Every structure is written in C-alpha cells, then in structure tokens.
Amino acid sequence: SINLSEFVINPFTKDAYFDTGSLEDVVALCVKALNEVLEEGKSLHPLKYQQTAVDDWKFIGLGTFGLADALIKLGIKYGHEANDIITEIYSCIAGSAILKSVDLAKELGCYPKCDKEALAHSKFMQEPMLDLLLDSAFYNDLKTYGIRNGQLLTCPPTGSIATMIGTSTGLEPLFALSYNRTTKSLNGEDTVYKVDAPIVKLYKEITGNETLPDYFVDSSTIHYTDRIAVQAKIQEYTDGSLSSTCNIPETATVEDVKNIYINAWKLGCKGCTIFRDNCKRTAILSTTEQKG
C-alpha cells in the first residue's frame, strides 16, 4: 500500500498541494514490484489450483493508506468536500497502474484469461476521468497486447502497518483524535493502550497552534453520507474492492442502518461495513473503556 500522506507538499499551509507527478512514478514502480512478487511466490502456494489461478489471472492489489492525514495536511475536510482532490488522486493511481500493466503485457504477455476487446470497452476503462488520461494510442495497445493483470487495485484496511508508521489507515477518516486500541493475544488476554493521532501532534509541532481547525474531523463527527460518498468516489477508480467501516453512534436506528446500505448500493459501492457504538462485539478501536 502507498502512504498518500507523504505526497503532500507544504502541509498545513495555504500553499499545500498534492504531488501527483511523484505518485504516478511510485504507482508504476509498485505495479512492477507486485508482479515480481507474484511470480516469485507462485511456487510457494500449496495447491496446484492456486498456482493455476495465479498464472491465469495474475491478480495484484495495490492499495493506499494515509488519505485522512493527506486531506488534513491539505486543509480539506473529509467527506463530500474532498471529492475533487480524491478524484485527482485516485484517477492518477488508476491511470498509472493501467499504463504500467499494459507496458508489462507488451514485454511479458497479458494474463491468459484476458479478453482484450471486452476489456477495452469495460466500464472501468471508460470512466470519464480515466478517458482524459488514456489516449487513443493506449486503447490500440490495450486491444493489441491486453493487460498483464486481471486486477490491479484494492484498498485494504492497513490497520497494523499504518499504526506502525504513524498515519491514518486505509481510506478511513481518523477514528478519533485519541482512542484506545485493543490488541488480541494468543494467550486469551487483551491489551488496551491509549493512542493519540500522530497527525494532531505533527500539526501542533509544525504550526505551533494548540487549537485544531475545523477540518480536523473524526469518525464520531462525520455523517455516514460523507463516509459513503468518499468510499463511492474511490470505488470509481478501483477495479477491486475497498475496506471501509461506517462508525455510527449507539443512538442510530434501524432506519439509519437501512439508509447506509441502500445509499452505498445506489452509489456503486461493492461492499459496506457498519459498526454501531457499544454493540455486543468488542471493537478493535474505541474511545471509552469497554465492558467485559
């Protein structure tokens, strides 16, 4: 997964911007690397069926994390207000990944199950923003050579690696400005420890301000329509699926839950997860001490 937070230049200033040029280069490098890992690890799969599937489809899943931190560095509130920059970022990722995979198909061949003509006319390849990035020469190459990978992009939760690095997870907003994290242990005991969002500390260090501006939002203050809007926008530029959890308060009604699922379906999300505060199942992240 790629840490989007690191591509923001001049963070927390009026001159902040997202470096899509560098992102394009990193995406191309990652697609090449993931293909090499795929081939290197093929023989390690225990079942012949698994090895055949790798050969036939050559699925990879390049993901992202640090989106919420990137938006904060840019001074943009998570939700509908971020649609334009999210479109810019994720269309850049999709375009660069597709172009690299077609280049690899020229060099190494396409995945055996590739239907080149159907692929060129698929909904994913015809997205309006992608169409601006991919010219007629590209479509000729796609029809001639196909593409190396049956799947290119996904968005895993990245909970552990993002926490290790100190940035926001997956495509999620900040869970909270500070929270409790529960680690499951093999010996049957849970370890709970307090975590402060690193972006808050970084903002205070860079700006010298103790008061957070209004674009510092978290899962408790973002309405579920904004959560689904972000997921749906990213889904437009992702050929795999996304991991995103709508955190809703204990006061949420059955009708609220219904509306979340219906809204996600109407906007084209491939999946939708909901976590209602204080439900019976223990949450991985929380802001209050949970009952046993």
Side-chain angles (χ1 to χ4, degrees):
S1 294
I2 297 172
N3 183 5
L4 298 178
S5 178
E6 291 299 303
F7 292 88
V8 178
I9 309 300
N10 303 321
F12 310 123
T13 72
K14 60 181 177 58
D15 298 319
Y17 68 94
F18 194 93
D19 185 1
T20 52
S22 293
L23 180 61
E24 286 180 7
D25 294 339
V26 170
V27 169
L29 182 64
C30 287
V31 168
K32 179 174 170 49
L34 286 171
N35 273 279
E36 292 181 1
V37 169
L38 191 72
E39 295 298 331
E40 185 70 23
K42 183 177 65 176
S43 63
L44 301 178
H45 290 291
L47 303 179
K48 180 64 177 176
Y49 175 82
Q50 294 170 309
Q51 297 177 22
T52 302
V54 170
D55 275 333
D56 285 347
W57 297 100
K58 303 193 186 302
F59 276 15
I60 60 173
L62 179 60
T64 58
F65 63 107
L67 173 63
D69 280 8
L71 294 177
I72 289 171
K73 287 181 176 181
L74 292 166
I76 300 172
K77 188 177 291 186
Y78 188 103
H80 287 87
E81 295 177 27
N83 268 1
D84 288 347
I85 188 63
I86 287 173
T87 297
E88 182 181 346
I89 291 169
Y90 283 90
S91 63
C92 171
I93 292 171
S96 182
I98 291 167
L99 287 170
K100 186 60 181 180
S101 190
V102 171
D103 281 344
L104 289 172
K106 289 181 185 179
E107 178 186 350
L108 304 169
C110 63
Y111 67 96
K113 298 289 187 181
C114 181
D115 184 334
K116 299 169 187 174
E117 191 66 31
L119 184 65
H121 293 93
S122 65
K123 182 178 182 297
F124 182 65
M125 291 294 180
Q126 299 296 325
E127 284 293 346
M129 194 69 187
L130 284 180
D131 206 34
L132 298 175
L133 300 170
L134 308 175
D135 57 21
S136 57
F138 160 78
Y139 284 105
N140 288 335
D141 283 346
L142 187 62
K143 291 176 183 178
T144 303
Y145 301 103
I147 197 167
R148 182 65 175 170
N149 308 102
Q151 176 185 284
L152 286 163
L153 304 168
T154 184
C155 195
T158 69
S160 297
I161 61 171
T163 301
M164 287 169 59
I165 291 173
T167 192
S168 58
T169 61
L171 58 84
E172 306 277 3
L174 293 182
F175 175 72
L177 301 184
S178 64
Y179 53 87
N180 300 319
R181 184 174 181 87
T182 303
T183 301
K184 302 292 183 181
S185 172
L186 293 177
N187 62 14
E189 295 180 0
D190 295 346
T191 302
V192 181
Y193 52 96
K194 183 96 170 182
V195 179
D196 291 321
I199 193 71
V200 174
K201 181 181 178 182
L202 183 63
Y203 172 81
K204 292 178 179 179
E205 287 177 351
I206 290 178
T207 66
N209 297 328
E210 290 297 317
T211 303
L212 301 179
D214 63 0
Y215 54 79
F216 272 84
V217 292
D218 61 31
S219 62
S220 67
T221 58
I222 299 172
H223 195 266
Y224 63 75
T225 54
D226 281 305
R227 294 295 304 274
I228 296 300
V230 170
Q231 182 181 344
K233 179 54 65 177
I234 295 173
Q235 185 68 78
E236 291 179 25
Y237 302 102
T238 307
D239 57 345
S241 195
L242 311 174
S243 172
S244 182
T245 301
C246 277
N247 297 92
I248 56 177
E250 190 174 3
T251 55
T253 65
V254 172
E255 191 69 16
D256 288 330
V257 174
K258 173 186 172 183
N259 289 338
I260 291 171
Y261 281 122
I262 294 297
N263 194 29
W265 169 67
K266 285 182 176 179
L267 291 175
C269 295
K270 291 184 177 181
C272 181
T273 302
I274 297 173
F275 196 94
R276 181 172 172 268
D277 197 25
N278 289 330
C279 72
K280 187 174 182 180
R281 182 181 175 190
T282 303
I284 298 299
L285 302 180
S286 67
T287 54
T288 57
E289 192 168 330
Q290 298 176 31
K291 301 172 184 178

